Amino acid sequence: MSGHQRLRHTHQRHEEVMSALALALTDLSSNTPLPSSWPAVLEAQAYFTRSVPRHFADEESSWLPRLVAKQPSAKAAARGLTQQHRRLQQLMAAFSTIVDASEGDPERLDLDQAHKAAIAIDEAYRSHLDIEEPLIAQSTRLLGKADDDAMASEMIGRRGSGGGGGGGG
């Protein structure tokens, strides 16, 4: 998988995690939640703390510098994306704090706050992708195979020999 494909794959994985999280939080609000709902919340939390930082490193260390080198006019957009990464990490940390406060007990989860945090993450991420996806398409045309292969190699290196085990990111 090329570097650009890996970026897109992680975006798809994020969508899957957010969909599963939304369903899980809604289900936990019901009188008879499914046994799979709490693990989905914990998986989202783990994804936010494990995979998302690697993905942001992929973009900030491997992709954006190459894009800016080929197209210096993309520097402001790259800076803006990096700032959005920090904001997304803050939102994800807030979600993690809410989950941690439950002390592993889904009945103690503050569902209202968890829902609000998940919505804030989803809205910020969608806004982020509105800027990022066109840049990835542009970058795909600008960067050659050597850059794309180098990006992929660097991304794989961030995940170690086991591929990361995070299901994307």
Side-chain angles (χ1 to χ4, degrees):
M1 192 181 312
S2 75
H4 288 97
Q5 289 170 330
R6 288 176 180 281
L7 293 175
R8 286 195 176 102
H9 178 267
T10 301
H11 294 167
Q12 291 167 350
R13 175 68 178 131
H14 183 87
E15 293 289 332
E16 293 167 4
V17 168
M18 291 306 299
S19 292
L21 177 59
L23 289 171
L25 291 173
T26 299
D27 186 60
L28 286 170
S29 299
S30 73
N31 291 332
T32 55
L34 296 170
S36 60
S37 294
W38 181 243
V41 170
L42 297 177
E43 173 54 31
Q45 180 188 30
Y47 177 80
F48 295 154
T49 59
R50 177 192 63 235
S51 298
V52 170
R54 283 193 306 241
H55 174 66
F56 290 167
D58 291 342
E59 292 181 351
E60 294 171 17
S61 299
S62 297
W63 171 53
L64 290 170
R66 286 179 172 88
L67 174 61
V68 170
K70 293 279 185 185
Q71 184 174 353
S73 63
K75 186 174 187 176
R79 189 177 315 115
L81 290 173
T82 299
Q83 290 170 347
Q84 289 178 352
H85 289 165
R86 300 297 85 75
R87 176 67 180 138
L88 282 160
Q89 287 176 313
Q90 291 171 346
L91 293 171
M92 291 173 190
F95 176 82
S96 186
T97 298
I98 293 164
V99 173
D100 287 344
S102 72
E103 297 179 346
D105 182 353
E107 292 183 15
R108 294 185 62 194
L109 180 65
D110 184 334
L111 286 167
D112 184 53
Q113 290 301 311
H115 273 288
K116 287 178 183 176
I119 289 167
I121 292 166
D122 192 52
E123 289 174 351
Y125 198 75
R126 289 181 188 282
S127 175
H128 179 73
L129 288 183
D130 286 346
I131 297 166
E132 191 170 275
E133 284 293 334
L135 282 177
I136 291 174
Q138 184 178 29
S139 174
T140 301
R141 292 187 301 274
L142 286 173
L143 299 180
K145 183 172 174 18
D147 281 327
D148 212 5
D149 290 347
M151 285 171 30
S153 178
E154 292 166 9
M155 292 172 185
I156 291 167
R158 282 186 194 90
R159 284 145 186 84
S161 61

